């Protein structure tokens, strides 16, 4: 079974008849989620053709068919884009987004890290390796700076660092978001993604379970609640800045000036040794 087939099979099992307006019928269903014939009917393709896709025997479905399947499965825009990328991968076509070679944080992003202090900030690559961070960024995640620079990764931190469970007030949501975003890197950084997934799957049953759900979405703006050992409970807005045409992005935690949350960031800055990481 290829990656496209696995994704479709898992997502078919996660959506029930009632979710798409179909009757459930009497008695218990042996198949979790939709049956193949139900999904095929919703997408307007033959059962035989859909079965060949899900079994990995059809490796070049058209974008029109994939779009119909995405609509039938109620995929989000991020998930639909991921589905198209998996199809490119399986068919051996040139990816719609070419993989980017890993490289150091760009000078413009490094300058921005310093300019936005005391807001904690990080420059991340596709798999959330920390390419650089300002002092407040390192201080916001206790213990991150104890790891060698090549090991610093926010997803690895979430699942494997002992401090993460108590730091993130809603650890389950942070973990789920992290894994869903990592799925997007399967297409742009397949080798690094596979290596990180293998490591975390072996070390964390919770990661393995979340990875197997095949949820996909791009990390965007939101809020994160912390229980920090120095500045206490604080909820910070987070913003993700992605330079056009660049695989690197900046994650910034911030609060409006004059608020208790901003005062907490100033306090956090006072505790740092003023040494960031490229």
């Amino acid at each position: 079974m290829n990656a496209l087939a696995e994704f479709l099979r898992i997502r078919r099992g996660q959506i029930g008849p009632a979710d798409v307006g179909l009757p459930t019928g009497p008695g218990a269903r042996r198949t979790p989620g939709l049956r193949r014939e139900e999904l095929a009917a919703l997408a307007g393709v033959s059962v035989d053709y859909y079965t060949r896709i899900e079994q990995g025997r059809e490796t070049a479905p058209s974008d029109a068919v994939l779009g119909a399947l995405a609509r039938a499965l109620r995929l989000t825009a991020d998930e639909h884009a991921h589905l198209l990328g998996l199809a490119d991968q399986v068919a051996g076509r040139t990816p719609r987004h070419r993989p980017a070679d890993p490289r150091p944080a760009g000078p413009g992003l490094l300058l921005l890290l310093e300019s936005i202090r005391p807001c904690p900030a990080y420059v991340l690559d596709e798999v959330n390796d920390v390419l650089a961070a300002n002092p407040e960024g390192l201080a916001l995640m206790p213990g991150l700076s104890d790891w060698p620079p090549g090991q610093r990764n926010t997803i690895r931190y979430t699942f494997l660092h002992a401090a993460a469970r108590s730091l993130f007030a809603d650890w389950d949501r942070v973990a789920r978001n992290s894994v869903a975003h990592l799925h997007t890197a399967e297409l742009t950084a397949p080798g690094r993604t596979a290596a990180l997934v293998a490591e975390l799957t072996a070390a964390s049953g919770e990661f393995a379970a979340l990875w197997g759900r095949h949820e996909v979405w791009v990390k965007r703006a939101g809020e994160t609640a912390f229980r920090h050992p120095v500045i206490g409970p604080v909820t910070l807005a987070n913003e993700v800045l992605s330079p056009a045409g660049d695989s690197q992005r900046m994650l910034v935690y911030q609060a409006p000036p004059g608020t208790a949350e901003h005062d907490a960031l100033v306090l956090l800055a006072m505790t740092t040794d003023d040494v960031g990481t490229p």
Side-chain angles (χ1 to χ4, degrees):
M1 182 181 296
N2 59 46
L4 172 65
E6 183 182 13
F7 180 81
L8 288 171
R9 179 184 61 80
I10 290 174
R11 296 313 299 262
R12 177 172 62 82
Q14 293 175 348
I15 185 168
D19 297 324
V20 293
L22 294 177
T24 57
R29 292 169 63 94
R30 291 182 300 171
T31 302
L34 293 175
R35 299 185 178 100
R36 284 176 178 165
E37 57 266 29
E38 291 170 334
L39 178 56
L42 288 168
V45 300
S46 72
V47 178
D48 178 67
Y49 185 64
Y50 175 73
T51 300
R52 294 204 308 273
I53 297 173
E54 193 176 287
Q55 291 180 343
R57 294 184 288 120
E58 169 57 61
T59 59
S62 68
D63 283 2
V65 168
L66 295 170
L69 290 172
R71 290 189 293 274
L73 289 169
R74 303 298 195 263
L75 299 187
T76 65
D78 289 339
E79 291 165 342
H80 187 181
H82 186 71
L83 180 69
L84 294 173
L86 289 176
D88 287 341
Q89 186 181 75
V90 168
R93 293 189 292 260
T94 301
R96 296 161 205 243
H97 303 288
R98 290 184 175 275
D101 294 327
R103 55 189 175 82
L109 293 179
L110 291 176
L111 178 59
L112 189 56
L113 279 179
E114 183 66 24
S115 302
I116 62 176
R117 297 180 63 189
C119 295
Y122 315 81
V123 178
L124 307 175
D125 67 7
E126 301 100 319
V127 299
N128 278 32
D129 282 343
V130 179
L131 305 180
N134 62 16
E136 292 80 2
L138 293 179
L140 184 62
M141 295 189 184
L144 181 63
S145 62
D146 295 336
W147 284 353
Q151 189 180 354
R152 296 172 190 172
N153 176 289
T154 62
I155 303 174
R156 179 183 288 115
Y157 180 89
T158 298
F159 284 93
L160 301 188
H161 202 289
R165 295 278 180 168
S166 55
L167 176 67
F168 296 116
D170 191 351
W171 184 89
D172 289 339
R173 183 178 67 86
V174 172
R176 186 181 175 198
N177 286 343
S178 297
V179 175
H181 181 83
L182 184 59
H183 266 296
T184 68
E186 288 183 284
L187 305 175
T188 57
R192 284 178 286 148
T193 301
L196 182 60
V197 168
E199 173 194 346
L200 296 182
T201 297
S204 170
E206 287 165 305
F207 175 87
L210 286 171
W211 183 256
R213 291 177 59 87
H214 280 259
E215 295 177 327
V216 182
W217 57 78
V218 176
K219 170 67 176 174
R220 297 186 174 94
E223 286 188 341
T224 303
F226 296 90
R227 294 183 298 230
H228 197 273
V230 174
I231 62 176
V234 61
T235 297
L236 301 173
N238 58 69
E239 190 69 46
V240 179
L241 309 176
S242 300
D246 200 323
S247 61
Q248 297 180 1
R249 64 195 194 284
M250 178 174 285
L251 171 62
V252 182
Y253 291 99
Q254 57 185 336
T259 63
E261 290 78 10
H262 190 268
D263 291 343
L265 292 182
V266 173
L267 175 61
L268 183 69
M270 294 170 62
T271 69
T272 70
D273 58 10
D274 216 46
V275 177
T277 119

